[in-house]
Amino acid sequence: RSFGDSKMALYVLGLSVFINIILDIIFVVIFHQGVQALAYATIISQLISSLCSTYYLIKRYPFVCFKLNQITNIKPLLKTTINYGLISALHQSSLYLGKLFIQGAINSAGMNIVTAYAVTTRIEGLINSFGDSGCAAISILVGQNYGAHNIKRTKETLFKGLKLMISLVMVLSIIIVLLTKPMTLLFVEKSQYQVIHETFIYMFVVCIFYVFCFIGNVFVGFYRGIGHVDVPFKGTTMHVTLRVILSYLLIHHLGLVGVALGCGVGWIFVNLYQVYQYRKLDIFNK
């Protein structure tokens, strides 16, 4: 992706998914193995994916290969890499830790709510994939231009990314709302009216706020691209904290709507924080 070769990344991912599916069928349907076999299928498919990626990288971009005796004076680069990696890891872990706490609130609200929330996470995974991809693309473009000291194009990448992602999420939100009920029926029976209702009302409310989620993704990619990885980490931590608190306060009164509102309020708060941090960057305000 950093070399602009995003198609090959897609091909390798597609191969990994295909192998994972085939192995799932072989292990479970043919050999009648349990959940553990699914884990093995995932590990094998990821191993093949990593080997293919490494082989292609060596053949297509041989200049990235190096010998051990060429590693000299790496302390500054190693320090920077560890710093970025550690903060990025904390960023991701805080997000999933928050989801665990939210799941705790969900589990206290009854089986229908638990089932409905499990379905919504699958549906949200579809729309979130576009937000994550946009974040990654913007991060690369911003990093390339900022590294070349082209501030004008760095700012253009941010603003054009915002326009593109806002337009995209508006279309996706409408599609998701229209398809929520058909997709829900892939997981539950038609007779589970309460689950279907809770799933739909959650997705309807959260899709109203998804524009703020995608704006946040754009800024996350931007801050990563300019090396300010602490901003996404702090923003996500504040978002998750607010979301968890509101989920516990509202779920027993509003059901999954309360969780959706907590999520939306969290996204809005993060957007305000990200814009505030942008305004503090003197180099982008000249």
Side-chain angles (χ1 to χ4, degrees):
R1 284 176 176 168
S2 295
F3 288 125
D5 197 351
S6 56
K7 286 185 178 180
M8 183 51 64
L10 175 63
Y11 297 153
V12 173
L13 176 62
L15 175 65
S16 176
V17 171
F18 176 75
I19 293 174
N20 200 342
I21 293 172
I22 296 300
L23 290 177
D24 285 345
I25 295 173
I26 292 174
F27 289 160
V28 177
V29 178
I30 298 178
F31 293 111
H32 306 289
Q33 300 297 311
V35 175
Q36 186 177 3
L38 300 179
Y40 289 142
T42 301
I43 293 170
I44 293 171
S45 63
Q46 292 292 339
L47 175 61
I48 295 173
S49 173
S50 63
L51 291 175
C52 289
S53 299
T54 303
Y55 176 79
Y56 178 80
L57 187 66
I58 293 172
K59 291 295 183 181
R60 181 68 176 82
Y61 307 102
F63 55 86
V64 302
C65 300
F66 57 89
K67 297 180 180 179
L68 291 178
N69 59 11
Q70 294 175 306
I71 303 177
T72 58
N73 193 29
I74 65 169
K75 187 175 180 180
L77 179 60
L78 185 62
K79 182 179 179 181
T80 302
T81 303
I82 292 175
N83 181 54
Y84 285 178
L86 179 61
I87 295 177
S88 296
L90 290 172
H91 175 207
Q92 293 299 321
S93 62
S94 65
L95 178 62
Y96 288 103
L97 183 62
K99 288 184 177 181
L100 286 175
F101 283 115
I102 293 172
Q103 187 66 56
I106 298 295
N107 292 344
S108 67
M111 185 55 66
N112 287 332
I113 297 294
V114 172
T115 304
Y117 186 70
V119 176
T120 64
T121 57
R122 301 298 186 273
I123 299 174
E124 281 195 278
L126 178 62
I127 190 170
N128 282 333
S129 65
F130 290 92
D132 294 339
S133 298
C135 173
I138 290 168
S139 177
I140 293 169
L141 289 172
V142 167
Q144 290 172 341
N145 289 295
Y146 188 72
H149 305 290
N150 192 332
I151 302 303
K152 180 180 179 182
R153 288 200 63 184
T154 302
K155 292 174 68 174
E156 287 179 354
T157 300
L158 171 63
F159 295 130
K160 289 182 179 179
L162 282 169
K163 291 179 181 178
L164 177 63
M165 294 290 278
I166 290 173
S167 301
L168 176 63
V169 74
M170 287 182 175
V171 175
L172 287 174
S173 296
I174 295 172
I175 293 174
I176 290 296
V177 169
L178 293 176
L179 294 181
T180 290
K181 286 188 176 180
M183 287 190 289
T184 303
L185 293 175
L186 295 174
F187 301 96
V188 301
E189 299 292 334
K190 291 183 179 179
S191 59
Q192 295 180 273
Y193 303 112
Q194 186 63 31
V195 173
I196 296 172
H197 172 73
E198 289 287 349
T199 302
F200 176 78
I201 197 67
Y202 173 90
M203 291 307 306
F204 179 82
V205 173
V206 84
C207 279
I208 295 174
F209 294 99
Y210 247 109
V211 63
F212 300 107
C213 175
F214 272 48
I215 291 173
N217 281 326
V218 172
F219 273 105
V220 168
F222 169 77
Y223 285 118
R224 284 178 177 172
I226 65 173
H228 289 216
V229 291
D230 60 308
V231 176
F233 166 60
K234 294 175 181 177
T236 298
T237 301
M238 290 186 286
H239 163 249
V240 167
T241 302
L242 183 59
R243 185 176 174 182
V244 169
I245 293 173
L246 290 176
S247 294
Y248 274 95
L249 290 175
L250 299 177
I251 189 168
H252 292 291
H253 302 285
L254 301 175
L256 281 186
V257 172
V259 179
L261 289 173
C263 187
V265 171
W267 284 334
I268 293 173
F269 183 83
V270 169
N271 284 178
L272 294 173
Y273 171 73
Q274 290 169 329
V275 172
Y276 169 74
Q277 290 297 323
Y278 179 83
R279 298 293 298 173
K280 290 173 62 177
L281 297 172
D282 295 334
I283 193 172
F284 293 102
N285 293 311
K286 294 180 180 179

